[in-house]
Amino acid sequence: MTAQPQPTPLNRRRLLTGAAAVAAVGAFGGAAIAPDVAHAVGDGFGLRVVSPPNNHGGRLHYYRFATDAIGWDPAVNVLLPDGYHTSGKRYPVLYLLHGGAQDFREFHLHQNIVNLTAGREIIVVMPDAGTGWYCNPVTTFVGPRDWEQFHMHQLLPWIDANFRTFAEYDGRAVAGFSMGGFGALKYAAKYFGHFCSVSSHSGPASLRRDGHLVVHWANLSSAAKDLGGGTVYGAPVFDQARITADNPIERIPSYYHKRVFLVAGTLQNAPVDWWDVINEGQVLAGQREFRAALSHAGIPHVGLERPGGHTFRHDMFIQDLDGMMGRLRRAG
């Protein structure tokens, strides 16, 4: 089990409010902030905030970081629940991971995440991930692209230090679409003690099937869009140990005592599209293999198949969110 982040001055600063916060900031460095500022954050855990915090309109807040883990400045949207600034409550957190050829704005701009989560007492964290498959790559020719390092060792403790969260197993869920669905399954297994709920919306769950097709897919897409010809898993020779460590189907015991939600399209009633046929067909087959392995191990899960292709289904996300809220620690 991965150790939880330890308290630091940055952790302690977030517990202070009002005049106490203004007085304390000087002790920890940085400019004093007024108590009525919507949300002030600090640097830490290898992250330096390089863009002024931008409130998109109430609940949604944007931050961009400089980090040695990534060769450019990745960003994150943090969606706060209604009443966050006045409630004094702590909240569970959902890490919501985007797909390939998308970025941290995907769920805000294209998936209506603000309305989908209205009235829910949960913080939603939506970070950049490039097309890096939520991995530290074997090779890169464009500088560092250590997305796993950025997400799990920098961003996650930074969120806990700067927002009123439950920094514990029952306080976090992870979900994603497509590449992000794979990332969610991977992170939930590799960092078992961090997430009590994991959800994959049209995300691959098996890397080795059909001649390592998903590994080839990850290598090719990351080489073209993220790594300047480098690869996530190595080429022409794969790093087999890394594949095993990341492969959900090879990590089945890591899903014990978690809520597991899976959904994939069946391609029925979908437009004739070679991308859907190749992509969602492989996703569906891998999720069926994964679900069978979970069932064989006696691990409860929700596994759904819906008509259509490779798409983020809002109705399935709402159903997923209902289940998450039932598993996560309640705000308070």
Side-chain angles (χ1 to χ4, degrees), residues 44-81:
F45 307 96
L47 300 179
R48 180 169 59 87
V49 180
V50 295
S51 293
N54 183 357
N55 185 329
H56 289 291
R59 296 171 52 207
L60 191 66
H61 297 254
Y62 153 85
Y63 307 93
R64 189 170 291 277
F65 307 102
T67 167
D68 290 343
I70 307 297
W72 51 278
D73 296 342
V76 63
N77 270 336
V78 179
L79 181 60
L80 301 175

Side-chain angles (χ1 to χ4, degrees), residues 213-230:
L213 182 58
V214 176
V215 175
H216 287 291
W217 179 5
N219 274 347
L220 289 170
S221 59
S222 63
K225 297 181 178 180
D226 207 56
L227 302 173

Side-chain angles (χ1 to χ4, degrees), residues 71-127:
W72 51 278
D73 296 342
V76 63
N77 270 336
V78 179
L79 181 60
L80 301 175
D82 294 309
Y84 175 89
H85 301 299
T86 58
S87 72
K89 293 181 179 180
R90 293 190 177 280
Y91 295 88
V93 180
L94 165 62
Y95 287 83
L96 186 57
L97 310 181
H98 69 72
Q102 299 174 354
D103 63 21
F104 75 101
R105 300 168 298 177
E106 171 64 20
F107 296 102
H108 168 222
L109 294 179
H110 303 126
Q111 304 301 341
N112 200 24
I113 191 65
V114 173
N115 287 336
L116 289 175
T117 58
R120 307 279 190 163
E121 290 194 313
I122 191 169
I123 296 170
V124 185
V125 177
M126 297 161 282

Side-chain angles (χ1 to χ4, degrees), residues 140-154:
T140 170
F141 298 107
V142 289
R145 294 291 188 273
D146 292 336
W147 292 108
E148 183 174 338
Q149 171 72 14
F150 168 58
H151 295 139
M152 298 307 303
H153 300 286
Q154 296 181 329

Side-chain angles (χ1 to χ4, degrees), residues 13 16-28 30-37:
R13 185 171 71 180
L16 303 176
T17 57
V22 176
V25 167
F28 299 119
I33 57 172
D36 60 350
V37 170

Side-chain angles (χ1 to χ4, degrees), residues 190-205:
K190 290 187 75 173
Y191 299 88
F192 178 86
H194 283 64
F195 305 104
C196 70
S197 176
V198 56
S199 312
S200 180
H201 293 256
S202 288

Side-chain angles (χ1 to χ4, degrees), residues 227-298:
L227 302 173
T231 60
V232 169
Y233 289 113
V237 178
F238 294 153
D239 185 329
Q240 295 293 343
R242 185 168 298 197
I243 293 171
T244 295
D246 289 356
N247 193 2
I249 194 70
E250 295 182 69
R251 302 294 300 263
I252 293 299
S254 296
Y255 299 97
Y256 279 110
H257 310 299
K258 294 184 185 297
R259 172 188 171 270
V260 181
F261 181 95
L262 305 157
V263 63
T266 63
L267 302 177
Q268 295 175 331
N269 303 323
V272 177
D273 186 315
W274 69 269
W275 172 251
D276 268 348
V277 171
I278 295 173
N279 196 342
E280 198 69 4
Q282 184 63 210
V283 165
L284 179 61
Q287 284 200 10
R288 285 174 173 173
E289 179 186 0
F290 183 65
R291 283 158 35 198
L294 292 173
S295 295
H296 182 75

